[in-house]
Amino acid sequence: MKALAYGSDQNVGRKMGTVSKALELLDYFTKARPLIGLSDIARLADLNKATCFRLLTELSENGFVEQVGTSREYRLGPSVLRLAALREAQVPTRDAAMPVLQSLAQQTGETAHLSLLIADILRPLAHAYSAAHATKVMLEDTETLPFHATSSGLAVLAFQPEAFRNAVLAKPLAQLTSTTLTNPAALRARIAEVRGLGYAESRGGYESDVHSMAVPLFDALGRCSGALAVAALGTRMGEAQRRMIRYALLQAGTEITTLWGGTLPADIATLWRLAA
Amino acid sequence: MKALAYGSDQNVGRKMGTVSKALELLDYFTKARPLIGLSDIARLADLNKATCFRLLTELSENGFVEQVGTSREYRLGPSVLRLAALREAQVPTRDAAMPVLQSLAQQTGETAHLSLLIADILRPLAHAYSAAHATKVMLEDTETLPFHATSSGLAVLAFQPEAFRNAVLAKPLAQLTSTTLTNPAALRARIAEVRGLGYAESRGGYESDVHSMAVPLFDALGRCSGALAVAALGTRMGEAQRRMIRYALLQAGTEITTLWGGTLPADIATLWRLAA
DNA sequence: ACCAACGGTTCAAATAACAAACCGAAAGCC
DNA sequence: GGCTTTCGGTTTGTTATTTGAACCGTTGGT
């Protein structure tokens, strides 16, 4: 199993195959850092420059990265577009969820985002912003959502196999804000609570003034493979607002799970029906 | 440089790194064959089962493929979605072109498609169909566009560096229909002609009753990195129809190149302006 | 003119990939 | 039921690939 690595956690001492190393290089491209030079990416990945060069060359030969003319920096290549189109054609995920996500943002007047569990890491896949407020939560550059410190993370974690939860909680858990829960036992309790409620909530656990709520999403294989969340400034999160957002979330969550061909676990279905 | 391999061309005797082998596995997933078992894919890629298994495992650990529950077959994983979203955010390609593509299909009443030059291979990225005729050209399952036998291929080839053209024409060229041009010298003449016209045309070179026209597309780096084409049944391609399609193509081609931040080579810009 | 950092290259040494044979399970097929 | 084939997956010794450190030639800053 791939090392669970997030935050500032340096993934040192890992022992991984060449392919994983190459694929990991792709992960260093982010919205905030779309172009990376050879030396930079070698440093980031903690790889030898020669190794890194060979990997990048091979990625480039296959269109997964490409070099922009000047300064020879690398960026993601066009191959991913083709593969993504193919994946979406077979398992509509982003395209299917996007309209629901947008209407959720509009309906709640807050920022909505959808995350996917990819290779044991929770990553945001799409965002939708509302024009309702001048101040909104932006998360353009978030690359990884820590399981223990976000509502999406908790929502997903609550519906994973026990072994997965254990693996996550066994790793060191970053104290991101003053209110981040980092005690494994307390987190377990928290997760059990999420399971009982059918949705998760986080008050400033990731960023101190952001309050968010999230629901788990289920795919056609019955797995909980993602989460849908609404994030707002803590100051805007009154009781009425929370109730409104929760309601919209449960609706939208049901909708996306259905679009994905998934089915809610029976207990969750009941919980959500009651709350509606 | 990666071997130019298309059609039924078996890519035997190649000497490629582990990473390329792994990435090539991803190419065996198509719309027509979205799920593949271990033994199948090993046969397709002409790899040892153990090797193939290891590669697939590593791809799976990184979310590039995943196994569906029953029968343990593999399919493309969610990682590609994330990367594609990132790529589109930085270099809007498919999303930017899609509306133009659709309006081109609607405007011409025929099938329009956009292809991208990925790692020396021309691959269709998106299609748009028109509802105007009951019979239309379908190309859902086309995986690779042979340069010598399609209008898109000729359009792209005409604007590549000489070395690239040579590499393509040096390979054996498949005789796909009775009218497919396979003589390198004749093809060179054809390509020169395309250069002089600013667009390419193919009458039944790929499928015997399909007539298509294509224009090259240029990206922000000044490369010709794709083609835009309209394909119709040969029987519908009268002179008036050809003129209409050509006009719409030049318009749409200009538009997409502009959206991509590219600039037309001066001679082409002039040609297209004159034709409009 | 210097120096540092860049992208890229080289080559011996270390490591990871390879092929073949094997395993238990499931699916035909008599 | 029993025989055979094929499946996904594993193991092993051999082999070929990957790796890391040092080394180029350039570029850009001071």
Side-chain angles (χ1 to χ4, degrees):
Chain A
M1 189 179 284
K2 193 186 175 208
L4 292 160
Y6 28 76
S8 59
D9 223 351
Q10 290 293 344
N11 42 1
V12 293
R14 75 234 127 112
K15 163 190 50 129
M16 54 191 350
T18 313
V19 175
S20 291
K21 278 181 208 150
L23 296 178
E24 211 191 62
L25 291 187
L26 299 176
D27 275 348
Y28 292 104
F29 296 95
T30 67
K31 218 167 256 179
R33 196 201 309 112
L35 279 82
I36 322 185
L38 171 60
S39 297
D40 279 341
I41 203 166
R43 258 190 302 277
L44 283 169
D46 191 27
L47 286 173
N48 185 287
K49 211 170 33 162
T51 305
C52 197
F53 175 69
R54 207 175 27 77
L55 296 179
L56 281 170
T57 302
E58 229 165 331
L59 286 171
S60 165
E61 278 167 357
N62 290 80
F64 283 77
V65 302
E66 65 183 5
Q67 279 179 285
V68 337
T70 80
S71 95
R72 296 170 172 175
E73 286 176 307
Y74 296 84
R75 72 174 174 206
L76 286 175
S79 266
V80 294
L81 299 182
R82 223 184 65 79
L83 295 176
L86 214 54
R87 161 84 186 185
E88 282 288 341
Q90 225 242 318
V91 189
T93 304
R94 191 179 200 268
D95 294 351
M98 214 60 212
V100 181
L101 188 68
Q102 267 148 5
S103 96
L104 176 64
Q106 202 216 323
Q107 198 180 330
T108 57
E110 301 289 354
T111 297
H113 68 273
L114 181 146
S115 316
L116 236 48
L117 187 59
I118 302 179
D120 301 353
I121 298 182
L122 190 64
R123 297 178 181 281
L125 178 67
H127 325 287
Y129 299 102
S130 161
H133 301 99
T135 56
K136 52 191 148 196
V137 180
M138 304 292 289
L139 28 78
E140 291 290 358
D141 297 335
T142 311
E143 279 304 307
T144 280
L145 296 176
F147 285 106
H148 68 292
T150 63
S151 58
S152 296
L154 292 172
V156 168
L157 211 47
F159 297 91
Q160 297 306 313
E162 185 61 27
F164 186 92
R165 250 193 311 275
N166 291 339
V168 169
L169 296 177
K171 296 232 123 199
L173 304 167
Q175 181 87 41
L176 297 169
T177 72
S178 58
T179 61
T180 309
L181 257 189
T182 58
N183 178 327
L187 278 164
R188 274 183 210 280
R190 192 74 195 284
I191 289 163
E193 193 187 340
V194 169
R195 242 205 132 85
L197 287 169
Y199 67 93
E201 203 159 357
S202 160
R203 307 178 193 236
Y206 184 56
E207 286 191 57
S208 46
D209 42 5
V210 173
H211 185 143
S212 72
M213 301 173 76
V215 291
L217 300 172
F218 299 86
D219 66 18
L221 277 59
R223 304 171 303 188
C224 167
S225 54
L228 181 67
V230 169
L233 289 178
T235 54
R236 267 209 295 273
M237 268 295 202
E239 192 52 42
Q241 178 81 343
R242 282 187 58 237
R243 215 192 321 275
M244 183 271 280
I245 287 177
R246 186 180 61 211
Y247 176 77
L249 259 180
L250 302 190
Q251 293 284 110
T254 309
E255 208 172 327
I256 291 180
T257 289
T258 305
L259 284 169
W260 284 1
T263 46
L264 298 174
D267 51 336
I268 301 307
T270 327
L271 279 170
W272 287 10
R273 242 196 317 275
L274 291 178
Chain B
M1 191 177 283
K2 194 187 176 212
L4 293 159
Y6 27 76
S8 60
D9 224 351
Q10 289 294 341
N11 41 1
V12 292
R14 77 235 125 113
K15 164 192 46 135
M16 53 188 354
T18 313
V19 175
S20 292
K21 280 183 208 149
L23 296 178
E24 211 191 62
L25 292 188
L26 298 176
D27 274 348
Y28 291 105
F29 296 95
T30 68
K31 218 168 255 178
R33 196 203 304 114
L35 278 82
I36 322 185
L38 170 61
S39 297
D40 279 341
I41 203 166
R43 258 190 301 276
L44 283 170
D46 191 28
L47 287 172
N48 183 285
K49 208 171 35 162
T51 305
C52 197
F53 174 68
R54 210 172 21 75
L55 296 178
L56 281 171
T57 302
E58 231 166 331
L59 286 171
S60 166
E61 279 167 356
N62 290 80
F64 282 76
V65 302
E66 65 182 5
Q67 279 179 286
V68 339
T70 79
S71 94
R72 295 172 170 172
E73 287 176 307
Y74 296 84
R75 71 173 173 206
L76 286 175
S79 266
V80 295
L81 299 182
R82 222 185 64 80
L83 295 175
L86 214 55
R87 162 82 186 188
E88 282 288 340
Q90 226 243 319
V91 190
T93 304
R94 192 178 199 268
D95 294 351
M98 214 58 212
V100 181
L101 188 68
Q102 267 148 5
S103 97
L104 176 63
Q106 202 217 323
Q107 199 180 329
T108 56
E110 301 289 353
T111 298
H113 67 274
L114 181 146
S115 317
L116 237 47
L117 187 59
I118 302 179
D120 302 353
I121 298 183
L122 191 63
R123 298 178 180 282
L125 178 68
H127 324 288
Y129 299 103
S130 162
H133 301 98
T135 56
K136 54 190 147 197
V137 179
M138 303 292 290
L139 26 79
E140 290 291 355
D141 297 336
T142 311
E143 280 303 307
T144 279
L145 296 176
F147 286 107
H148 67 293
T150 63
S151 58
S152 297
L154 292 172
V156 167
L157 212 48
F159 295 92
Q160 297 305 314
E162 184 63 27
F164 186 93
R165 249 192 313 275
N166 292 338
V168 169
L169 296 178
K171 295 231 124 200
L173 304 167
Q175 181 87 42
L176 297 169
T177 72
S178 59
T179 62
T180 309
L181 258 188
T182 58
N183 178 328
L187 278 164
R188 274 182 209 281
R190 192 73 195 284
I191 288 163
E193 193 187 340
V194 168
R195 243 206 131 87
L197 287 169
Y199 67 92
E201 203 157 358
S202 161
R203 308 176 192 237
Y206 184 56
E207 287 192 57
S208 47
D209 41 5
V210 172
H211 185 143
S212 72
M213 301 173 75
V215 292
L217 300 172
F218 300 86
D219 66 18
L221 277 60
R223 305 171 301 188
C224 168
S225 55
L228 181 67
V230 170
L233 288 179
T235 53
R236 269 210 292 274
M237 270 294 202
E239 191 52 41
Q241 177 81 343
R242 282 187 59 235
R243 213 192 321 275
M244 182 270 279
I245 288 177
R246 186 179 61 212
Y247 176 76
L249 258 180
L250 302 189
Q251 293 283 110
T254 309
E255 208 171 328
I256 291 180
T257 288
T258 305
L259 285 170
W260 284 2
T263 45
L264 298 175
D267 51 335
I268 301 306
T270 332
L271 279 170
W272 287 11
R273 243 194 318 273
L274 291 177

